[in-house]
Amino acid sequence: FERAGISDGLSGMGTDLEIHGFPIYYGKPDEIIAGGPSIIVVPCNVHAWNTLLEKLPNSLHWLPNREAAPAGISLPFENPIPVLFWGEGFDEGIKPFAALDDDGRLIFYVDIIASSFFMLSRLEETKSKLYDAHDRFPGSASVAYRQGFLDIPVVDQYAILLREWLKVLKPDLRIATKRPIVNLTHDIDWVFSFSDFGQFVRMVGGLLLKRESFSEILKQFMNLKIQFASPAQGEFYRSIY
């Protein structure tokens, strides 16, 4: 809702959430009794996450964006929408991305909650056994890469679709405008001084040739001990250094 620009109307806690007076439910439409206009997101099947991880490359279901948005709406992007999780019982286009039913309920048949959480939590990285030489999860092993949407900001696009559908419920919906800001930070890591012992020898040899002070040479010995020490030993050496 924050990405959609409408979080200022969000209230309640737990399962008693509302947005601008419309109750929000995460469940199956036939199990929810709402007394008026409301928002329902249909949860995906409990096995859907594993199913997504095991899908063959380029086998994901995509929707043309004009079919994902309300009729007559022009979206700020043209690409089709990758559907990570359909709501349980509504797989592969049985229902549209979202729709209003006869009771005025706005139902999302695509589980935009699970889809967003899947992308933002990076849970798939903890399930993978594929890592590069530096123990990093490679982008080529991700669902986004294998299913062809690595360069598509799917969570942003789901938020924009959510916003446009909420306008159907509330045509005078006020959208917050935000100005970009910059927060400058810095990070200092303990960078290794030597790539191997040979580089250390060359460093000390150069210091001797330049007749550097004993303290400078001792400093390099200390760096070497810290680099190849255990974490606890390294902290001790740094403290006395």
Side-chain angles (χ1 to χ4, degrees):
F1 283 107
E2 182 175 352
R3 178 61 186 91
I6 49 179
S7 59
D8 62 327
L10 189 64
S11 62
M13 294 183 65
T15 57
D16 298 320
L17 282 173
E18 290 188 350
I19 183 76
H20 289 280
F22 300 113
I24 305 168
Y25 302 98
Y26 190 46
K28 297 181 179 180
D30 57 356
E31 297 176 356
I32 295 171
I33 300 175
S38 57
I39 301 159
I40 300 173
V41 179
V42 183
C44 61
N45 184 279
V46 294
H47 303 295
W49 288 53
N50 288 332
T51 301
L52 178 61
L53 292 173
E54 296 168 0
K55 269 185 174 293
L56 294 174
N58 300 312
S59 62
L60 199 66
H61 190 194
W62 295 63
L63 285 173
N65 65 11
R66 66 180 181 277
E67 294 182 13
I73 295 299
S74 178
L75 296 172
F77 53 88
E78 298 180 353
N79 61 271
I81 309 299
V83 179
L84 277 64
F85 302 117
W86 284 100
E88 184 174 9
F90 301 107
D91 295 343
E92 300 295 327
I94 294 176
K95 290 286 187 176
F97 186 93
L100 279 175
D101 69 2
D102 295 337
D103 296 322
R105 304 182 304 174
L106 173 57
I107 304 174
F108 287 89
Y109 295 100
V110 171
D111 189 346
I112 58 176
I113 294 177
S115 300
S116 298
F117 185 74
F118 177 86
M119 293 301 298
L120 297 178
S121 69
R122 307 309 308 137
L123 183 68
E124 65 174 311
E125 298 183 21
T126 69
K127 302 287 187 180
S128 176
K129 297 181 180 179
L130 298 174
Y131 297 95
D132 65 14
H134 305 286
D135 290 328
R136 299 172 303 188
F137 179 76
S140 58
S142 67
V143 168
Y145 178 86
R146 289 186 286 109
Q147 300 301 337
F149 63 91
L150 186 63
D151 297 326
I152 297 176
V154 291
V155 177
D156 285 350
Q157 294 187 358
Y158 284 155
I160 292 171
L161 287 166
L162 168 66
R163 180 180 67 200
E164 296 304 323
W165 276 105
L166 286 177
K167 288 180 182 178
V168 175
L169 278 183
K170 186 178 175 65
D172 60 345
L173 185 67
R174 182 175 177 272
I175 307 300
T177 57
K178 296 184 178 180
R179 297 178 60 187
I181 60 174
V182 176
N183 290 321
L184 295 178
T185 66
H186 68 274
D187 180 28
I188 300 175
D189 296 319
W190 184 263
V191 182
F192 288 158
S193 301
F194 314 107
S195 58
D196 53 40
F197 188 74
Q199 186 181 12
F200 165 74
V201 172
R202 290 191 294 273
M203 168 71 76
V204 172
L207 293 174
L208 290 171
L209 288 174
K210 292 190 289 184
R211 297 183 179 182
E212 291 286 348
S213 66
F214 176 76
S215 63
E216 182 62 29
I217 297 174
L218 181 62
K219 174 182 177 181
Q220 300 309 321
F221 271 100
M222 187 63 71
N223 285 340
L224 182 70
K225 290 179 73 67
I226 293 173
Q227 179 169 333
F228 293 100
S230 68
Q233 290 172 327
E235 288 302 318
F236 171 74
Y237 290 140
R238 277 192 282 273
S239 68
I240 64 174
Y241 175 72

